[in-house]
Amino acid sequence: MIALNMVGRVILGLWLVLVGISHWTPLVPVTNGTGLAAELSRAFADSGLTGIASALLIVAGLLILANRLTVLALLAGISVFTAGAYWAILTAEALPILIVAATLGLSVLLLLGYWRYVGQLLSMRATGLVESGAEKNVALRRLTIFSHYLWGGWWIISGLFHFITGPIIGTSPLAVQLIMALLHTGMYELIKAIEAIGGLAVLTRRWAPLLLAINVPITFVVVYWDTVLQDPGHPIGLAVAVLTLGSTGFLLRNYREYLRPLLTWAPRSAGR
């Protein structure tokens, strides 16, 4: 088991590093696809999100190779390649689909080996610091409760808004390009559904740590869109970023006992 974990980490870690570097220097064959897949590739590349994801893959790959923060690195890689899986399906080509499926499959298998660090995320009724009474600081307790309703309510409204009144596509060229690509490919609806489910999970306190963790990449993209792509420096965008990041931070802190194992510096795989 230990040997298999080591071999799997070497294969996955090297692959993530190679894929990440290939954004700047082609070390492995990279294709943008055609049709909708190409449109999505261009939007992500032009917006700078591909560069950020590539840098994340390099860091994640190096951490997996060194077996440091391995669980967090695996989750980061899975988040990137989950989006990649959607893109691969759009290509309708066997090779990209096979490569992405193999990468995700190996990532999940390795993650299962660290189940002791991730299993707690599946707790349906997670008890946070505020709910358990462990949070003694009155100000922090109030801010956490405020964040609970703000985050949950905001993501439900944001998720359902598109289905009721239509999307907000922005005004700047890059902001519009990204939203239109997400709309044309159907990825926008998927993201909005995840937002609404995440908000509902937090408000009902059902699987809250899990849905918070799943929504972290989406939170980053939303803040990036508001503060970088749409209108850099605009007070409204900055306010949305502060409220979004602040409420996310307070909720992550509230459920830190469920999330802290993900930050284990040198996790031990099954069999050790």
Side-chain angles (χ1 to χ4, degrees):
M1 182 67 73
I2 298 175
L4 288 175
N5 175 271
M6 184 178 299
V7 172
R9 284 194 296 105
V10 170
I11 294 173
L12 181 63
L14 287 175
W15 176 245
L16 295 188
V17 171
L18 289 174
V19 171
I21 294 176
S22 293
H23 172 65
W24 293 280
T25 302
L27 298 179
V28 296
V30 177
T31 176
N32 291 325
T34 59
L36 292 176
E39 180 183 357
L40 192 62
S41 293
R42 286 193 300 271
F44 272 75
D46 292 345
S47 66
L49 287 172
T50 302
I52 295 172
S54 298
L56 181 62
L57 287 180
I58 295 172
V59 174
L62 292 174
L63 289 172
I64 291 170
L65 284 170
N67 198 27
R68 295 294 182 266
L69 294 175
T70 315
V71 179
L72 185 63
L74 285 169
L75 291 173
I78 288 173
S79 68
V80 173
F81 273 94
T82 298
Y86 194 92
W87 168 86
I89 292 172
L90 291 176
T91 66
E93 297 177 9
L95 185 58
I97 293 175
L98 180 62
I99 291 174
V100 173
T103 303
L104 279 174
L106 180 55
S107 300
V108 172
L109 284 175
L110 286 172
L111 194 61
L112 289 176
Y114 296 99
W115 184 253
R116 72 184 78 174
Y117 303 97
V118 297
Q120 73 283 350
L121 287 178
L122 297 182
S123 300
M124 185 181 74
R125 288 287 291 178
T127 303
L129 297 176
V130 170
E131 292 82 1
S132 67
E135 182 57 79
K136 303 302 182 182
N137 187 294
V138 175
L140 288 175
R141 184 165 62 248
R142 289 176 178 174
L143 284 170
T144 301
I145 294 172
F146 172 76
S147 297
H148 172 85
Y149 291 105
L150 174 68
W151 198 98
W154 169 251
W155 283 121
I156 289 176
I157 293 172
S158 176
L160 297 179
F161 190 81
H162 162 67
F163 300 100
I164 298 173
T165 64
I168 298 175
I169 63 174
T171 55
S172 73
L174 289 178
V176 173
Q177 180 188 9
L178 180 60
I179 296 299
M180 293 307 295
L182 294 176
L183 284 169
H184 291 160
T185 58
M187 197 173 187
Y188 193 87
E189 284 77 9
L190 178 61
I191 292 171
K192 290 301 174 182
I194 294 174
E195 286 181 0
I197 293 171
L200 185 63
V202 168
L203 282 183
T204 60
R205 292 181 171 85
R206 297 292 193 277
W207 294 289
L210 176 64
L211 269 298
L212 274 170
I214 290 174
N215 270 275
V216 166
I218 296 176
T219 299
F220 170 79
V221 174
V222 169
V223 171
Y224 186 81
W225 188 88
D226 280 316
T227 59
V228 177
L229 300 181
Q230 169 58 11
D231 195 356
H234 194 281
I236 294 180
L238 292 176
V240 170
V242 170
L243 288 173
T244 302
L245 292 177
S247 58
T248 300
F250 280 115
L251 288 176
L252 291 175
R253 179 183 181 277
N254 187 50
Y255 293 109
R256 65 187 182 189
E257 295 305 317
Y258 297 87
L259 299 168
R260 183 179 289 163
L262 307 182
L263 302 178
T264 303
W265 178 244
R268 298 167 63 87
S269 63
R272 294 181 61 185

